[in-house]
Amino acid sequence: MFEQLAVDPHVRRAIDDAVQQNRLPHALILEGSDDETRLAAAREIAMALVCEGTGKKPCGVCSKCRKAEAGSHPDLYLIEPEKEGAFIKVDAIRTLKAHALLRPNDGEKSVFILREAQMMNVQAQNALLKILEEPAPHVCLLLTCPSRAALLETILSRATAFALSNETAGDAADVQTAADLLGTLCTGSELDLLLALAPLQKDRDRFRAALSAMGPILRDALVLQGKTEALGGAPEQSGLLRRTLTQKQLLDLMDAARSASDALDRNANLNLLLTWFCSRCSEIRLS
Ligand SMILES: [Zn+2]
């Protein structure tokens, strides 16, 4: 996939593997690069999702691929600002929702591309949230935007983001810390986790870096399978997480890491935050 597009090869491979193995999360955020590349990538993913070819998807030759290519596939929807710089308003999302409730016309999936998703106003983002919370199994949402930072936290916590360019794993030491913590979470007790977090008690920056390295490791656990290349830099831990935790637990952990990171930015008390993070992780583990 995306052979003609300037997309980070690791990201290309991760998305391609998820598509071929039918493990693509129901909501993706494609960020980074430029609008044209993001849209082209989203269109290709959409085509792959409706493709009925038997080999690698999209095959480009089946009737579904041809309809997608021609822009005439009845289950592919493009929602975008009416003009450059205009907001995507709540009505557009309500229309999306009405379509999402219906069965697809022509196959197994309905795919909604939300181009320039950062242009959704808050009302529109909140309306979208309702769909993300209880997605019908046939619905796939592809949001494109320059940066995930422009979307509401609640949206981010229910979607999987891919940076089409310049995404790299964190610093090796931070990846190691994050991987150790996540490993302890899978195999140890709450006390083990608290002990593993203890060295971070005096080091805000290290905790922050470890939290940000957790995101890609957890994301790998959600989308990767087997020996495919991991973006998070800790393929073994991602595999362990995948085998140990459910998709919901993985998403909740991503959310917890993000919340902790935000609290650090707001200058929260480090010890209290570590204790909170530890108990939140244990709660997720037991959920
Ligand atoms: Zn096809």
PDB file of all heavy atoms in Angstrom, residues 245-268:
ATOM      1  N   LEU A 245      -3.716  -8.592  27.213  1.00  0.00           N
ATOM      2  CA  LEU A 245      -4.792  -7.619  27.452  1.00  0.00           C
ATOM      3  C   LEU A 245      -5.770  -7.558  26.273  1.00  0.00           C
ATOM      4  O   LEU A 245      -5.408  -7.902  25.142  1.00  0.00           O
ATOM      5  CB  LEU A 245      -4.185  -6.224  27.680  1.00  0.00           C
ATOM      6  CG  LEU A 245      -3.169  -6.114  28.829  1.00  0.00           C
ATOM      7  CD1 LEU A 245      -2.607  -4.706  28.883  1.00  0.00           C
ATOM      8  CD2 LEU A 245      -3.789  -6.492  30.167  1.00  0.00           C
ATOM      9  N   THR A 246      -6.975  -7.105  26.570  1.00  0.00           N
ATOM     10  CA  THR A 246      -7.966  -6.933  25.503  1.00  0.00           C
ATOM     11  C   THR A 246      -7.732  -5.592  24.814  1.00  0.00           C
ATOM     12  O   THR A 246      -7.012  -4.735  25.331  1.00  0.00           O
ATOM     13  CB  THR A 246      -9.401  -6.916  26.066  1.00  0.00           C
ATOM     14  OG1 THR A 246      -9.524  -5.758  26.919  1.00  0.00           O
ATOM     15  CG2 THR A 246      -9.703  -8.155  26.884  1.00  0.00           C
ATOM     16  N   GLN A 247      -8.391  -5.421  23.677  1.00  0.00           N
ATOM     17  CA  GLN A 247      -8.267  -4.168  22.937  1.00  0.00           C
ATOM     18  C   GLN A 247      -8.737  -2.985  23.807  1.00  0.00           C
ATOM     19  O   GLN A 247      -8.109  -1.931  23.821  1.00  0.00           O
ATOM     20  CB  GLN A 247      -9.121  -4.270  21.675  1.00  0.00           C
ATOM     21  CG  GLN A 247      -8.764  -3.214  20.661  1.00  0.00           C
ATOM     22  CD  GLN A 247      -9.370  -3.506  19.296  1.00  0.00           C
ATOM     23  OE1 GLN A 247     -10.509  -3.955  19.199  1.00  0.00           O
ATOM     24  NE2 GLN A 247      -8.626  -3.248  18.252  1.00  0.00           N
ATOM     25  N   LYS A 248      -9.831  -3.200  24.534  1.00  0.00           N
ATOM     26  CA  LYS A 248     -10.367  -2.150  25.414  1.00  0.00           C
ATOM     27  C   LYS A 248      -9.339  -1.784  26.484  1.00  0.00           C
ATOM     28  O   LYS A 248      -9.107  -0.608  26.769  1.00  0.00           O
ATOM     29  CB  LYS A 248     -11.671  -2.666  26.037  1.00  0.00           C
ATOM     30  CG  LYS A 248     -12.203  -1.886  27.224  1.00  0.00           C
ATOM     31  CD  LYS A 248     -13.220  -0.866  26.761  1.00  0.00           C
ATOM     32  CE  LYS A 248     -13.987  -0.162  27.865  1.00  0.00           C
ATOM     33  NZ  LYS A 248     -13.216   0.357  28.967  1.00  0.00           N
ATOM     34  N   GLN A 249      -8.700  -2.799  27.075  1.00  0.00           N
ATOM     35  CA  GLN A 249      -7.698  -2.523  28.106  1.00  0.00           C
ATOM     36  C   GLN A 249      -6.520  -1.749  27.523  1.00  0.00           C
ATOM     37  O   GLN A 249      -5.996  -0.833  28.153  1.00  0.00           O
ATOM     38  CB  GLN A 249      -7.211  -3.837  28.735  1.00  0.00           C
ATOM     39  CG  GLN A 249      -8.234  -4.484  29.658  1.00  0.00           C
ATOM     40  CD  GLN A 249      -7.788  -5.859  30.132  1.00  0.00           C
ATOM     41  OE1 GLN A 249      -7.286  -6.671  29.356  1.00  0.00           O
ATOM     42  NE2 GLN A 249      -7.961  -6.127  31.411  1.00  0.00           N
ATOM     43  N   LEU A 250      -6.108  -2.115  26.302  1.00  0.00           N
ATOM     44  CA  LEU A 250      -4.990  -1.402  25.671  1.00  0.00           C
ATOM     45  C   LEU A 250      -5.349   0.064  25.413  1.00  0.00           C
ATOM     46  O   LEU A 250      -4.550   0.962  25.680  1.00  0.00           O
ATOM     47  CB  LEU A 250      -4.600  -2.095  24.354  1.00  0.00           C
ATOM     48  CG  LEU A 250      -3.964  -3.486  24.502  1.00  0.00           C
ATOM     49  CD1 LEU A 250      -3.892  -4.196  23.151  1.00  0.00           C
ATOM     50  CD2 LEU A 250      -2.566  -3.395  25.110  1.00  0.00           C
ATOM     51  N   LEU A 251      -6.571   0.284  24.926  1.00  0.00           N
ATOM     52  CA  LEU A 251      -7.009   1.668  24.678  1.00  0.00           C
ATOM     53  C   LEU A 251      -7.090   2.445  25.989  1.00  0.00           C
ATOM     54  O   LEU A 251      -6.688   3.611  26.058  1.00  0.00           O
ATOM     55  CB  LEU A 251      -8.370   1.688  23.974  1.00  0.00           C
ATOM     56  CG  LEU A 251      -8.364   1.287  22.499  1.00  0.00           C
ATOM     57  CD1 LEU A 251      -9.772   1.054  21.979  1.00  0.00           C
ATOM     58  CD2 LEU A 251      -7.686   2.350  21.643  1.00  0.00           C
ATOM     59  N   ASP A 252      -7.589   1.789  27.043  1.00  0.00           N
ATOM     60  CA  ASP A 252      -7.673   2.460  28.345  1.00  0.00           C
ATOM     61  C   ASP A 252      -6.281   2.803  28.881  1.00  0.00           C
ATOM     62  O   ASP A 252      -6.083   3.855  29.494  1.00  0.00           O
ATOM     63  CB  ASP A 252      -8.410   1.571  29.360  1.00  0.00           C
ATOM     64  CG  ASP A 252      -9.906   1.539  29.108  1.00  0.00           C
ATOM     65  OD1 ASP A 252     -10.384   2.374  28.309  1.00  0.00           O
ATOM     66  OD2 ASP A 252     -10.598   0.687  29.694  1.00  0.00           O
ATOM     67  N   LEU A 253      -5.319   1.932  28.634  1.00  0.00           N
ATOM     68  CA  LEU A 253      -3.948   2.224  29.081  1.00  0.00           C
ATOM     69  C   LEU A 253      -3.359   3.412  28.330  1.00  0.00           C
ATOM     70  O   LEU A 253      -2.667   4.253  28.905  1.00  0.00           O
ATOM     71  CB  LEU A 253      -3.048   1.001  28.889  1.00  0.00           C
ATOM     72  CG  LEU A 253      -3.153  -0.098  29.956  1.00  0.00           C
ATOM     73  CD1 LEU A 253      -2.266  -1.275  29.566  1.00  0.00           C
ATOM     74  CD2 LEU A 253      -2.746   0.426  31.332  1.00  0.00           C
ATOM     75  N   MET A 254      -3.634   3.455  27.013  1.00  0.00           N
ATOM     76  CA  MET A 254      -3.147   4.602  26.226  1.00  0.00           C
ATOM     77  C   MET A 254      -3.724   5.888  26.811  1.00  0.00           C
ATOM     78  O   MET A 254      -3.033   6.898  26.940  1.00  0.00           O
ATOM     79  CB  MET A 254      -3.574   4.470  24.752  1.00  0.00           C
ATOM     80  CG  MET A 254      -2.784   3.430  23.984  1.00  0.00           C
ATOM     81  SD  MET A 254      -3.532   3.102  22.366  1.00  0.00           S
ATOM     82  CE  MET A 254      -2.484   4.069  21.329  1.00  0.00           C
ATOM     83  N   ASP A 255      -4.993   5.797  27.174  1.00  0.00           N
ATOM     84  CA  ASP A 255      -5.687   6.937  27.753  1.00  0.00           C
ATOM     85  C   ASP A 255      -5.065   7.331  29.095  1.00  0.00           C
ATOM     86  O   ASP A 255      -4.833   8.515  29.366  1.00  0.00           O
ATOM     87  CB  ASP A 255      -7.148   6.511  27.956  1.00  0.00           C
ATOM     88  CG  ASP A 255      -8.072   7.694  27.998  1.00  0.00           C
ATOM     89  OD1 ASP A 255      -7.697   8.729  27.449  1.00  0.00           O
ATOM     90  OD2 ASP A 255      -9.150   7.573  28.609  1.00  0.00           O
ATOM     91  N   ALA A 256      -4.758   6.335  29.920  1.00  0.00           N
ATOM     92  CA  ALA A 256      -4.164   6.604  31.240  1.00  0.00           C
ATOM     93  C   ALA A 256      -2.800   7.273  31.086  1.00  0.00           C
ATOM     94  O   ALA A 256      -2.458   8.220  31.810  1.00  0.00           O
ATOM     95  CB  ALA A 256      -4.041   5.307  32.035  1.00  0.00           C
ATOM     96  N   ALA A 257      -2.006   6.778  30.126  1.00  0.00           N
ATOM     97  CA  ALA A 257      -0.679   7.358  29.904  1.00  0.00           C
ATOM     98  C   ALA A 257      -0.804   8.816  29.448  1.00  0.00           C
ATOM     99  O   ALA A 257      -0.049   9.690  29.882  1.00  0.00           O
ATOM    100  CB  ALA A 257       0.101   6.530  28.877  1.00  0.00           C
ATOM    101  N   ARG A 258      -1.795   9.059  28.568  1.00  0.00           N
ATOM    102  CA  ARG A 258      -2.007  10.424  28.099  1.00  0.00           C
ATOM    103  C   ARG A 258      -2.472  11.339  29.234  1.00  0.00           C
ATOM    104  O   ARG A 258      -2.009  12.469  29.369  1.00  0.00           O
ATOM    105  CB  ARG A 258      -3.040  10.453  26.973  1.00  0.00           C
ATOM    106  CG  ARG A 258      -2.417  10.585  25.594  1.00  0.00           C
ATOM    107  CD  ARG A 258      -3.485  10.897  24.566  1.00  0.00           C
ATOM    108  NE  ARG A 258      -4.518   9.886  24.580  1.00  0.00           N
ATOM    109  CZ  ARG A 258      -4.522   8.812  23.799  1.00  0.00           C
ATOM    110  NH1 ARG A 258      -3.558   8.619  22.937  1.00  0.00           N
ATOM    111  NH2 ARG A 258      -5.496   7.931  23.868  1.00  0.00           N
ATOM    112  N   SER A 259      -3.399  10.822  30.065  1.00  0.00           N
ATOM    113  CA  SER A 259      -3.894  11.630  31.191  1.00  0.00           C
ATOM    114  C   SER A 259      -2.757  11.969  32.146  1.00  0.00           C
ATOM    115  O   SER A 259      -2.650  13.099  32.625  1.00  0.00           O
ATOM    116  CB  SER A 259      -4.968  10.875  31.974  1.00  0.00           C
ATOM    117  OG  SER A 259      -6.035  10.578  31.140  1.00  0.00           O
ATOM    118  N   ALA A 260      -1.888  10.970  32.419  1.00  0.00           N
ATOM    119  CA  ALA A 260      -0.768  11.213  33.334  1.00  0.00           C
ATOM    120  C   ALA A 260       0.166  12.262  32.737  1.00  0.00           C
ATOM    121  O   ALA A 260       0.674  13.150  33.432  1.00  0.00           O
ATOM    122  CB  ALA A 260      -0.022   9.906  33.600  1.00  0.00           C
ATOM    123  N   SER A 261       0.398  12.160  31.432  1.00  0.00           N
ATOM    124  CA  SER A 261       1.277  13.099  30.760  1.00  0.00           C
ATOM    125  C   SER A 261       0.700  14.530  30.824  1.00  0.00           C
ATOM    126  O   SER A 261       1.424  15.492  31.090  1.00  0.00           O
ATOM    127  CB  SER A 261       1.442  12.627  29.316  1.00  0.00           C
ATOM    128  OG  SER A 261       2.406  13.366  28.677  1.00  0.00           O
ATOM    129  N   ASP A 262      -0.622  14.637  30.615  1.00  0.00           N
ATOM    130  CA  ASP A 262      -1.277  15.945  30.726  1.00  0.00           C
ATOM    131  C   ASP A 262      -1.151  16.498  32.135  1.00  0.00           C
ATOM    132  O   ASP A 262      -0.919  17.698  32.327  1.00  0.00           O
ATOM    133  CB  ASP A 262      -2.771  15.843  30.395  1.00  0.00           C
ATOM    134  CG  ASP A 262      -3.000  15.652  28.915  1.00  0.00           C
ATOM    135  OD1 ASP A 262      -2.020  15.810  28.157  1.00  0.00           O
ATOM    136  OD2 ASP A 262      -4.131  15.345  28.523  1.00  0.00           O
ATOM    137  N   ALA A 263      -1.321  15.621  33.132  1.00  0.00           N
ATOM    138  CA  ALA A 263      -1.232  16.064  34.523  1.00  0.00           C
ATOM    139  C   ALA A 263       0.180  16.573  34.824  1.00  0.00           C
ATOM    140  O   ALA A 263       0.366  17.562  35.537  1.00  0.00           O
ATOM    141  CB  ALA A 263      -1.607  14.922  35.460  1.00  0.00           C
ATOM    142  N   LEU A 264       1.196  15.915  34.243  1.00  0.00           N
ATOM    143  CA  LEU A 264       2.575  16.401  34.400  1.00  0.00           C
ATOM    144  C   LEU A 264       2.717  17.804  33.820  1.00  0.00           C
ATOM    145  O   LEU A 264       3.352  18.677  34.406  1.00  0.00           O
ATOM    146  CB  LEU A 264       3.555  15.470  33.688  1.00  0.00           C
ATOM    147  CG  LEU A 264       3.999  14.202  34.421  1.00  0.00           C
ATOM    148  CD1 LEU A 264       4.910  13.394  33.524  1.00  0.00           C
ATOM    149  CD2 LEU A 264       4.702  14.538  35.729  1.00  0.00           C
ATOM    150  N   ASP A 265       2.109  17.991  32.655  1.00  0.00           N
ATOM    151  CA  ASP A 265       2.168  19.315  32.028  1.00  0.00           C
ATOM    152  C   ASP A 265       1.499  20.376  32.900  1.00  0.00           C
ATOM    153  O   ASP A 265       1.863  21.538  32.850  1.00  0.00           O
ATOM    154  CB  ASP A 265       1.484  19.301  30.653  1.00  0.00           C
ATOM    155  CG  ASP A 265       2.295  18.508  29.638  1.00  0.00           C
ATOM    156  OD1 ASP A 265       3.495  18.275  29.900  1.00  0.00           O
ATOM    157  OD2 ASP A 265       1.730  18.115  28.607  1.00  0.00           O
ATOM    158  N   ARG A 266       0.480  19.936  33.651  1.00  0.00           N
ATOM    159  CA  ARG A 266      -0.215  20.890  34.526  1.00  0.00           C
ATOM    160  C   ARG A 266       0.474  21.001  35.882  1.00  0.00           C
ATOM    161  O   ARG A 266      -0.081  21.551  36.819  1.00  0.00           O
ATOM    162  CB  ARG A 266      -1.674  20.460  34.730  1.00  0.00           C
ATOM    163  CG  ARG A 266      -2.541  20.592  33.486  1.00  0.00           C
ATOM    164  CD  ARG A 266      -4.021  20.466  33.857  1.00  0.00           C
ATOM    165  NE  ARG A 266      -4.290  19.243  34.597  1.00  0.00           N
ATOM    166  CZ  ARG A 266      -4.640  18.085  34.044  1.00  0.00           C
ATOM    167  NH1 ARG A 266      -4.773  17.998  32.747  1.00  0.00           N
ATOM    168  NH2 ARG A 266      -4.851  17.030  34.783  1.00  0.00           N
ATOM    169  N   ASN A 267       1.686  20.385  35.949  1.00  0.00           N
ATOM    170  CA  ASN A 267       2.485  20.508  37.156  1.00  0.00           C
ATOM    171  C   ASN A 267       1.918  19.757  38.367  1.00  0.00           C
ATOM    172  O   ASN A 267       2.062  20.195  39.507  1.00  0.00           O
ATOM    173  CB  ASN A 267       2.649  21.989  37.513  1.00  0.00           C
ATOM    174  CG  ASN A 267       4.118  22.319  37.613  1.00  0.00           C
ATOM    175  OD1 ASN A 267       4.959  21.407  37.595  1.00  0.00           O
ATOM    176  ND2 ASN A 267       4.430  23.583  37.737  1.00  0.00           N
ATOM    177  N   ALA A 268       1.275  18.635  38.111  1.00  0.00           N
ATOM    178  CA  ALA A 268       0.707  17.846  39.211  1.00  0.00           C
ATOM    179  C   ALA A 268       1.821  17.324  40.114  1.00  0.00           C
ATOM    180  O   ALA A 268       2.966  17.170  39.680  1.00  0.00           O
ATOM    181  CB  ALA A 268      -0.082  16.676  38.640  1.00  0.00           C
TER     182      ALA A 268
END
